[in-house]
Amino acid sequence: MSKKTIVIVGAGKGMGNHVAKKFAQNDFRVVLMARNKENLDSYVKEFEAEEMECVGVAADAADTKSLTEAFMKVKEMYGKIDVMVYNAAILEPGFPTTLSSAELMRHYQVDVASALHSVEQVLPEQIEAKEGTILFTGGGLAMYPMAEFTCISVDKAALKALAITLNQELAEKGIFVGVVSIMGNVAPDTHYDPKLIAEDYWKLYTERKECEIIYK
């Protein structure tokens, strides 16, 4: 039986790579996507050192054309993408009155709109196969917004709504969409250790029950 493929959009030392490793430990092939090719190359070496199958594909979450090309490359290599995790976000502070509409939309593109665009890249094959999983990295700011972090507060609320509505629409097609809402700052050796949180992504994938897990 061939390996299943998971794509992580927004690879990195925080949640992205830890979620990828959790799935790789369960015999998934891992595709990491991020802007910086040097970083991707170093991540791939880390996975390969642990005898995990992994490739890096450069993609910019701010650029839908870049994402489209990256997903096309992955599908040319492996076919259907079984699991897609959208973990990209712009984590910059900013009070609402200091933001322009253009700045708000720049954040929204990366935090929300490109999440939907990434979903659109994997859906046709998943729908044809009548199975697939899409997972988002959510945040506590969706429930408890902070003025100092207006953009990510607004966008995590929108991302949560997107996950829930996608799951409502796609469940009958065999596609599960879920979101892990992380209620604190991700940091190693704390309650919010990414290794611990990654277990909930796996739980969503395997159990396919509740659309949202709130990690607190």
Side-chain angles (χ1 to χ4, degrees):
M1 184 177 177
S2 61
K3 281 188 175 184
K4 291 186 174 182
T5 301
I6 181 171
V7 172
I8 308 288
V9 181
K13 299 251 181 210
M15 283 312 312
N17 290 9
H18 283 87
V19 173
K21 284 191 176 182
K22 177 63 184 178
F23 279 77
Q25 288 162 0
N26 287 275
D27 205 31
F28 268 76
R29 173 193 300 114
V30 170
V31 180
L32 302 177
M33 288 188 185
R35 285 183 302 173
N36 189 302
K37 189 175 184 308
E38 284 187 14
N39 287 345
L40 281 174
D41 290 343
S42 69
Y43 301 154
V44 170
K45 288 178 181 178
E46 289 178 21
F47 277 74
E48 291 177 342
E50 296 181 43
E51 298 184 344
M52 298 173 178
E53 186 177 351
C54 179
V55 297
V57 178
D60 184 354
D63 181 354
T64 55
K65 182 173 182 288
S66 170
L67 284 170
T68 299
E69 291 173 352
F71 275 103
M72 285 179 62
K73 183 175 181 180
V74 175
K75 289 188 284 187
E76 285 170 1
M77 290 189 293
Y78 304 123
K80 172 177 171 277
I81 295 167
D82 300 279
V83 181
M84 192 278 289
V85 177
Y86 194 85
N87 184 62
I90 298 175
L91 303 176
E92 294 175 355
F95 287 94
T97 57
T98 66
L99 293 167
S100 66
S101 60
E103 185 70 3
L104 184 64
M105 290 307 297
R106 180 178 72 87
H107 283 249
Y108 191 84
Q109 180 63 57
V110 173
D111 299 347
V112 185
S114 285
L116 179 59
H117 186 76
S118 296
V119 171
E120 291 167 346
Q121 306 314 301
V122 304
L123 266 188
E125 293 80 13
Q126 290 189 354
I127 289 174
E128 183 179 358
K130 298 182 180 179
E131 65 173 0
T133 301
I134 295 158
L135 303 176
F136 296 149
T137 297
L141 291 172
M143 288 79 89
Y144 302 100
M146 292 177 61
E148 188 178 355
F149 292 92
T150 292
C151 284
I152 197 68
S153 296
V154 170
D155 293 352
K156 287 301 183 185
L159 189 70
K160 176 179 175 176
L162 180 62
I164 293 169
T165 54
L166 279 169
N167 192 57
Q168 290 171 354
E169 179 186 1
L170 296 172
E172 65 180 21
K173 300 180 188 297
I175 314 301
F176 177 80
V177 184
V179 56
V180 179
S181 294
I182 304 167
M183 304 297 287
N185 295 322
V186 176
D189 302 318
T190 69
H191 176 68
Y192 292 97
D193 190 314
K195 289 182 183 178
L196 300 177
I197 303 172
E199 297 292 333
D200 278 345
Y201 290 75
W202 182 251
K203 183 178 180 180
L204 282 175
Y205 169 71
T206 55
E207 295 186 0
R208 302 170 73 86
K209 293 179 181 177
E210 294 299 319
C211 177
E212 179 185 26
I213 289 180
I214 298 175
Y215 188 96
K216 60 182 180 180

